[in-house]
Amino acid sequence: MSDIDEELRSELQRQGIWVTSMQELYNWGRKNSIWPLQFGLACCAIEMIATAASRYDIARFGGEIFRPSPRQADLMIVAGTVTKKMAPQIVRLYNQMPDPKYVISMGACAISGGPFKQGYNVLKGIDRYIPVDVYIPGCPPRPEALLHAFMELQRKIDEQKLTGAGKAAHLDRTHPSEFPVPAFGAHDLEPAANADVFRPMKIERT
Amino acid sequence: MSPPPYLFIVIFLGVALVFPIFPLILAWMWRRFFQPPKPGAEKNATYECGVESLGEAQIQFRSQYYLYAIIFLIFDVEAVFLVPFAVAFTGLPIGAFVAILVFLLLLLEGLVWAWSKGCLDWAR
């Protein structure tokens, strides 16, 4: 894992010798074989299906293998409105995915509730319960937007470190792999948000 | 000088052992040195589409469900055979006609039996 001098590396590359580190090799393999979990919640799922089909072809980025079981999936694409009825199931599915795991919050509904935010049964964003890596705005986002989010996730994976203080979450012993599943309370899901995960944006007015 | 004939089988056997065992060792070493295992109650639970699983997977079905199978045969499968029979009716030889009649008769018997059992009563 020693750092290679950039000039030496490019010099070697010109001579036909490719030098890499374990971290780069590991991340290169991971980022080009992200298997999403096959589930859709609402209209965003149609765009997700279009992204997986031949015209937009997510296979170009190594993400075409949608797995019907969380045991084999790396990525959860929360595509659509999350109702409060569905939220515990989503958190449970996320818990059942093996590490490393990533979440793309697709569309306005998955981010904040979107146009149904005022609805009594709509969760105001899946990031209340599980950590989200990439958010895609849009209603629904076009397949290109999902591909962009996918590339952003690849970039994020590429920058993850194997060792050291800022190493990736799945390599960190202290970082949890499971998050508490909310339960149906008398009026709302309990708890309404997981305080360890939910970091609402603070608006600062000057 | 040809190699001994069973040498290839020995080579195949060696490759067949190394090929799966090497990645397993690699994965074990990866877990040992880099990625700490994080098992948990939710993670190790039975996968049931995100819903908590209830009860045992190995349950017995009541044998009374055979009535549904009979009624399905009468009203669904019979219709599938009746349509091509009706379409090809004028060109059929007498043997085929008798065969389909026997088939119909058998199912009719099932219908009479199901009827007499009271399966077709609305109130059940």
Side-chain angles (χ1 to χ4, degrees):
Chain A
M1 237 80 61
S2 61
D3 288 331
I4 311 161
D5 185 33
E6 278 302 319
E7 281 182 29
L8 177 66
R9 186 213 291 256
S10 63
E11 176 65 33
L12 281 170
Q13 218 155 29
R14 269 197 293 279
Q15 305 300 323
I17 300 171
W18 187 58
V19 185
T20 184
S21 64
M22 195 124 130
Q23 178 178 307
E24 277 177 34
L25 196 67
Y26 175 62
N27 285 341
W28 172 79
R30 280 189 322 131
K31 78 172 185 180
N32 288 308
S33 61
I34 304 173
W35 291 4
L37 183 60
Q38 186 179 30
F39 84 108
L41 297 173
C43 17
C44 280
I46 305 298
E47 302 295 317
M48 185 178 74
I49 294 162
T51 315
S54 51
R55 179 178 283 259
Y56 295 101
D57 198 13
I58 206 171
R60 293 175 292 159
F61 304 92
E64 78 279 22
I65 312 177
F66 280 77
R67 303 313 297 181
S69 164
R71 314 282 192 212
Q72 304 160 348
D74 307 305
L75 168 65
M76 175 181 246
I77 302 174
V78 184
T81 319
V82 185
T83 56
K84 285 175 183 170
K85 181 105 178 169
M86 195 64 195
Q89 274 73 264
I90 290 177
V91 178
R92 200 172 284 121
L93 282 177
Y94 178 80
N95 287 345
Q96 288 185 342
M97 282 162 66
D99 282 285
K101 47 191 171 185
Y102 304 94
V103 178
I104 289 179
S105 181
M106 182 181 183
C109 292
I111 293 174
S112 68
F116 313 111
K117 192 180 172 70
Q118 309 300 328
Y120 68 97
N121 197 31
V122 175
L123 188 73
K124 279 89 185 153
I126 192 60
D127 55 356
R128 283 164 185 256
Y129 295 115
I130 55 177
V132 175
D133 292 282
V134 184
Y135 296 88
I136 326 170
C139 186
R142 284 187 54 84
E144 292 97 324
L146 182 56
L147 286 178
H148 182 229
F150 204 82
M151 287 157 73
E152 283 298 321
L153 183 66
Q154 286 184 326
R155 227 161 277 154
K156 192 170 180 175
I157 291 173
D158 206 24
E159 285 166 7
Q160 288 192 318
K161 290 188 171 57
L162 267 185
T163 51
K167 63 183 173 185
H170 65 281
L171 305 173
D172 191 352
R173 199 174 285 277
T174 56
H175 194 272
S177 175
E178 288 183 21
F179 294 94
V181 179
F184 299 118
H187 301 290
D188 199 355
L189 286 173
E190 288 171 1
N194 183 355
D196 297 335
V197 175
F198 189 39
R199 303 256 184 280
M201 203 166 61
K202 285 198 179 64
I203 300 170
E204 287 178 16
R205 292 190 175 84
T206 53
Chain B
M1 184 65 190
S2 62
Y6 289 109
L7 181 66
F8 297 109
I9 292 180
V10 174
I11 293 172
F12 271 134
L13 206 67
V15 171
L17 281 176
V18 168
F19 200 73
I21 287 174
F22 177 68
L24 284 177
I25 292 174
L26 212 63
W28 180 83
M29 277 170 60
W30 189 266
R31 200 204 69 172
R32 175 79 181 71
F33 293 110
F34 287 106
Q35 188 163 347
K38 293 176 182 176
E42 285 283 337
K43 209 179 203 175
N44 296 344
T46 310
Y47 167 60
E48 192 125 356
C49 304
V51 185
E52 271 180 301
S53 59
L54 293 170
E56 290 292 312
Q58 294 175 341
I59 55 166
Q60 291 182 330
F61 281 95
R62 288 157 63 91
S63 60
Q64 268 89 337
Y65 285 114
Y66 76 98
L67 282 174
Y68 291 94
I70 288 178
I71 292 172
F72 176 75
L73 271 182
I74 292 167
F75 290 112
D76 203 299
V77 179
E78 190 181 10
V80 171
F81 281 99
L82 271 182
V83 171
F85 169 67
V87 169
F89 183 71
T90 49
L92 279 183
I94 189 77
F97 181 71
V98 171
I100 199 81
L101 224 59
V102 169
F103 174 69
L104 285 182
L105 209 69
L106 282 172
L107 285 175
L108 201 70
E109 195 185 351
L111 179 64
V112 169
W113 190 76
W115 205 333
S116 66
K117 279 284 260 192
C119 299
L120 301 182
D121 290 349
W122 195 247
R124 254 172 82 92

